[in-house]
Amino acid sequence: MDCGYYNKGLCRSCTVIEVPYARQVADKQRLVQELVAPHGDPQWLEPVTSREAGFRNKAKMVVAGSVGDPTLGILDQNGSGTDLRDCPLYPEPISVALDALAEFIARVRLLPYNVTKRRGEIKHVIVTGSPDGRLMVRFVLRSTQQLSKIQDNMSLLRELVPHADVVSVNIQPEHKAVIEGPEEIMLTEQTELVMTVNEIPLRVRPRSFFQTNTEVTSQLYRQVSEWVDRASPRTVWDVYCGVGGFALHVAGPSREVTGTEISDDAVASARDTAAALGLPESGPGSVRFIVDDAAAVPSGPAPDLAIVNPPRRGLDAGLCEWLETSGVSTVVYSSCNAKTLARDLGRMPSLEPIEARLLDMFPHTGHYEVAVLLKRRR
C-alpha cells in the first residue's frame, strides 16, 4: 500500500508498510507458529488476510491546530498537529465524515487542546463506521465548558454528517495520554451503532470495545463457530465476551451460552442484541450475559466448552489454573498477543492445541489475531 503521509515522514504508525503484504502475513505466521510450537503441534489453517486499505472501522484522531483551522490526526514530536484525514486505512464513509467534522469544529469555533500549553477544550474525535456506512461520532472534551457549542449546533452536525446515528461527548479532564474519560454525554436518542456481522446485528455503545477490522472479525467469528459446532457442547462460556460477538455466533437451539464481561456498556449492548434476536435468557437455546470480572476464577460447574478472548496481557494465572483443573473438555483461545498465549498454554499443559489460524486484523503493523482450538489431552 502506498501512503503519502508515510512517504513524507509525517506518520510512521504503519511500521512495516514497506514490506510486501504477502511477506507481512508470512512473517506473522512464522512468529505465532514458533511461539505455539513448544506446547503442541496444531494443524495450521490458511491465514485469513485483509484488504490492504480501507479496512479500519474506527478512526481516533487528535484534534490540534487553531480555532477555525483544526487538524485531525496525530501530534508530531513538538506537540503540533499533523492532519491525517486522508489516511488510506479508513473506508470512504469515515474519510468523508472526518472532513465534515473538521469543518464542523471550525464553524462552531471549538478550541483545540494545546498539549504544550495545557489549554483548550477539544482533544479528540472518534468515528466508528458500520458495514452499511452508518456512523458513531464522539467528541472528547477537556471539560463541559464548550459542550453547549456542540449541543446547540446538532442540526449543523446532522447536515454535515448525515450518516451519524450516534453522537456523544466524552469528558477527559486529565493531562495525560488517555484518549477518553469516564463520563459520556449522549446527544442523540440512538445510543448504539448497529454493526451487522454475519447477519447478526451486534450493537456497540460509545465505550464498548469492538475489533477494528470488521471483515476479518466476521471470519474469526465464523471460524470459532465452526469449531464450537464440531465439538457439540451443551453449555458454553464466553469469557471476556465484549458485546457478545462469539456468544451470539455460537448460540444454538439445544445449547446454553453464558457471556461474562466487566464492562456494563458492553453487556447492555450484548443483551440488546440477544433480545432483538428473540433469544431466551435461560434453558435450551438461551444466551445470557453477566457483568463480572472475566479475569476472576469462575464459580459453579464447568461448561462443556469455554471461549476466552483476553486483552494483550493474556489470562490471569488463576483463570489458567481453573481451566487446567476444571475438566472443561474444549477451549477456544482468541489472542492478540502470541507471547502471552504461549505463556498461558504453558500454564495449561492438559489442554492441547489441535487447530490454529492466524487472522490479520492489522495490516502494515506487527499486530495480529490468532485463534487456537484446544482439546483436553487423554
Side-chain angles (χ1 to χ4, degrees), residues 103-275:
E103 180 180 347
F104 176 81
I105 290 168
R107 287 175 64 175
V108 305
R109 314 251 339 143
L110 292 173
L111 178 61
Y113 184 73
N114 187 305
V115 173
T116 303
K117 297 180 180 178
R118 301 193 177 195
R119 293 204 302 264
E121 285 299 314
I122 183 164
K123 293 183 171 184
H124 301 88
V125 290
I126 305 171
V127 183
T128 304
S130 73
D132 57 357
R134 309 308 297 180
L135 301 171
M136 176 162 59
V137 175
R138 302 173 68 200
F139 297 92
V140 182
L141 304 182
R142 183 179 65 87
S143 72
T144 57
Q145 185 176 331
Q146 292 194 332
L147 172 62
S148 61
K149 287 189 175 184
I150 301 176
Q151 292 172 318
D152 295 344
N153 287 280
M154 283 297 292
S155 59
L156 173 61
L157 182 62
R158 290 190 180 96
E159 177 187 328
L160 293 173
V161 194
H163 299 302
D165 291 340
V166 181
V167 180
S168 68
V169 168
N170 179 273
I171 306 300
Q172 206 294 78
E174 298 186 69
H175 181 78
K176 59 182 182 181
V178 176
I179 290 182
E180 60 187 61
E183 183 181 0
E184 198 82 25
I185 302 168
M186 299 305 306
L187 302 184
T188 51
E189 183 176 349
Q190 185 170 330
T191 60
E192 297 173 318
L193 181 67
V194 178
M195 305 280 286
T196 301
V197 181
N198 299 322
E199 301 183 357
I200 296 178
L202 299 173
R203 285 154 169 76
V204 180
R205 296 190 179 194
R207 293 173 57 78
S208 299
F209 170 77
F210 192 81
Q211 294 279 13
T212 58
N213 190 323
T214 308
E215 290 179 0
V216 176
T217 299
S218 71
Q219 296 188 70
L220 172 63
Y221 289 155
R222 289 200 298 271
Q223 179 62 68
V224 171
S225 180
E226 178 187 322
W227 282 339
V228 172
D229 285 345
R230 194 191 310 168
S232 297
R234 188 184 65 81
T235 55
V236 175
W237 285 359
D238 178 7
V239 185
Y240 301 95
C241 70
V243 298
F246 288 118
L248 293 161
H249 273 79
V250 304
S254 60
R255 194 171 292 160
E256 297 180 20
V257 181
T258 300
T260 61
E261 169 63 49
I262 200 168
S263 166
D264 292 354
D265 281 353
V267 168
S269 294
R271 288 172 176 167
D272 287 347
T273 303

Side-chain angles (χ1 to χ4, degrees), residues 314-374:
L315 302 175
D316 281 13
L319 183 53
C320 286
E321 182 181 358
W322 182 86
L323 288 167
E324 169 68 10
T325 60
S326 65
V328 174
S329 60
T330 307
V331 174
V332 177
Y333 193 138
S334 181
S335 170
C336 60
N337 183 353
K339 292 182 179 179
T340 54
L341 166 66
R343 180 203 66 199
D344 293 344
L345 292 178
R347 292 169 169 173
M348 303 183 294
S350 294
L351 292 163
E352 178 184 10
I354 301 298
E355 286 186 13
R357 193 168 201 180
L358 173 77
L359 301 104
D360 190 22
M361 295 272 190
F362 314 101
H364 320 305
T365 75
H367 301 294
Y368 51 81
E369 193 81 12
V370 58
V372 183
L373 173 65
L374 307 170

Side-chain angles (χ1 to χ4, degrees), residues 1 3-14 17 54 56 58-65 69-76 80-92 94-102 124-125 127:
M1 183 185 74
C3 174
Y5 296 119
Y6 184 91
N7 294 338
K8 294 175 183 176
L10 298 174
C11 176
R12 296 288 167 149
S13 298
C14 293
I17 195 171
R56 287 188 67 92
K58 179 181 285 188
K60 300 178 181 180
M61 310 299 265
V62 177
V63 181
D69 188 21
T71 62
L72 272 61
I74 59 174
L75 299 179
D76 65 18
S80 299
T82 298
D83 198 282
L84 300 179
R85 279 179 275 165
D86 293 325
C87 172
L89 299 184
Y90 303 119
E92 183 180 4
I94 290 181
S95 296
V96 170
L98 292 175
D99 281 335
L101 288 167
H124 301 88
V125 290
V127 183

